[in-house]
Amino acid sequence: MNTMRAALHDSYGPPDVLYVGTVPVPKLQRGQVLVRVHATSVNAGELYTRAGRARLVTGRTFPKRTGIDFAGEVAEVDPTITGLRTGARVWGVLPRTFGSAAEFVAVRPRNLSYAPENLGLVEAASLPVGTTALTAFRKARLDAGQRLLVRGGSGGVGSIAVQLGKALGAHVTALAGTRSLDLVRELGADEAHSYATTGPSDLGRFDVILDTVGTELRSFRRLLAPGGRMVSIAVDLDHIAMSLGYLLASTVHGRGRVRFFSGNPQHDLLAELAGYVERGAIRPVVDTVHPLAEIATAHRALEAGGVRGKHVIQVV
């Protein structure tokens, strides 16, 4: 097979610019693995770039691809690689690029690990984003007995962060939409509050805050207990310059630095996440499974908000 199906867009714009076209199957380079993708998921960063909000970085060469994470089977292995066999079930994240919403991806072994043995690959595709929560809690030095607040507790990262925080022994408070409060409690939240009725002034103090929303950072930062740490994985897309400026200023001034990062997980982190899943500490939360042909629908649904877990794109 020389060609494959892939999600593409020929311009920046709303979800409707996405379509499924045909592109060449990646040519395996030295030190790479070719993976047949069973499923991927939709992440907020893909919405941002598809809409053209990062065009100064992504440029104007089209068509462009979408998709960051993947779960699938090894289709081909470069002879220089040992320890991976054809047919192995794997999951991973592309290294700071897009293109996993396709039938095949070519990656280096450091960008994948074996997928959890107790999950199907479609469900597994909802979880590689959990490496973001793992990294965030390491940066924040989350420890047993500490008070953790997760903003966006029912989203793709937030639903995993709630479970991981509980597994690490923290007292977990989650903020989520009203219809998702039962879900975050089922995931392990000790307390669950609705955004609609609970603001920062209604909450107590926290040792660690994980922000997946990007707004009101100043107000939530004030909730940090002495020595508290706040990690944000999002910025306010309506006020990008102001949001980034505040994050930068917080590293220098005031109590409680707000740390910001974008993930680029590699093998060890993906393998650690698989371990949590296989031990039952983390389970997938899938909002909807969409076929590749309906990727525009999946983007539209994530943009609409109110997501419960992940929108997964089934390729195979």
Side-chain angles (χ1 to χ4, degrees):
M1 180 185 295
N2 297 319
T3 60
M4 65 177 185
R5 295 180 304 136
L8 307 167
H9 57 105
D10 294 330
S11 63
Y12 294 121
D16 291 342
V17 300
L18 290 166
Y19 67 96
V20 177
T22 301
V23 298
V25 173
K27 291 183 179 180
L28 204 62
Q29 304 295 321
R30 181 179 175 85
Q32 285 189 328
V33 177
L34 187 68
V35 177
R36 182 186 295 274
V37 177
H38 282 231
T40 180
S41 74
V42 182
N43 296 280
E46 296 159 56
L47 309 184
Y48 177 77
T49 54
R50 185 218 68 232
R53 294 190 174 189
R55 68 184 68 198
L56 291 177
V57 177
T58 54
R60 294 184 175 274
T61 301
F62 293 97
K64 294 193 182 298
R65 304 274 299 276
T66 191
I68 299 172
D69 45 31
F70 61 88
E73 294 179 291
V74 174
E76 187 179 348
V77 181
D78 178 74
T80 64
I81 296 173
T82 59
L84 272 176
R85 58 175 177 77
T86 301
R89 292 164 22 101
V90 295
W91 67 357
V93 178
L94 298 183
R96 300 198 184 282
T97 188
F98 296 97
S100 65
E103 292 182 297
F104 293 93
V105 293
V107 295
R108 298 192 180 278
R110 64 173 175 265
N111 299 119
L112 55 75
S113 81
Y114 291 115
E117 294 182 356
N118 58 334
L119 287 184
L121 289 171
V122 173
E123 285 186 308
S126 69
L127 289 173
V129 71
T131 55
T132 301
L134 273 172
T135 302
F137 290 158
R138 285 181 176 175
K139 286 181 176 289
R141 305 184 306 281
L142 180 65
D143 204 354
Q146 293 186 328
R147 293 182 58 84
L148 166 68
L149 173 65
V150 179
R151 292 190 70 201
S154 65
V157 176
S159 60
I160 300 172
V162 168
Q163 298 177 75
L164 181 60
K166 195 64 180 175
L168 294 172
H171 180 280
V172 181
T173 298
L175 280 174
T178 303
R179 76 183 187 96
S180 298
L181 296 182
D182 287 343
L183 170 66
V184 294
R185 291 189 186 101
E186 291 171 8
L187 296 176
D190 299 285
E191 300 178 38
H193 302 285
S194 169
Y195 287 119
T197 57
T198 304
S201 61
D202 301 312
L203 298 167
R205 297 287 184 181
F206 299 92
D207 301 294
V208 174
I209 298 174
L210 174 61
D211 174 77
T212 72
V213 181
T215 60
E216 298 183 88
L217 296 182
R218 190 185 305 273
S219 296
F220 280 94
R221 183 189 183 194
R222 295 193 184 106
L223 302 183
L224 290 174
R229 292 84 62 198
M230 181 171 172
V231 178
S232 179
I233 63 168
V235 296
D236 185 347
L237 296 181
D238 293 323
H239 305 91
I240 294 175
M242 183 183 300
S243 183
L244 290 175
Y246 178 72
L247 288 167
L248 179 62
S250 77
T251 68
V252 180
H253 302 289
R255 177 180 61 81
R257 175 184 174 187
V258 182
R259 296 164 175 82
F260 177 81
F261 74 96
S262 61
N264 183 27
Q266 297 192 351
H267 170 81
D268 290 350
L269 205 59
L270 289 159
E272 182 178 353
L273 179 65
Y276 277 103
V277 176
E278 289 172 348
R279 292 192 296 272
I282 293 175
R283 66 175 175 88
V285 181
V286 176
D287 187 301
T288 309
V289 177
H290 309 260
L292 182 61
E294 296 177 9
I295 190 165
T297 301
H299 273 235
R300 196 176 300 114
L302 184 56
E303 284 188 342
V307 64
R308 292 161 60 91
K310 296 288 285 182
H311 285 278
V312 172
I313 307 298
Q314 186 168 1
V315 179
V316 174

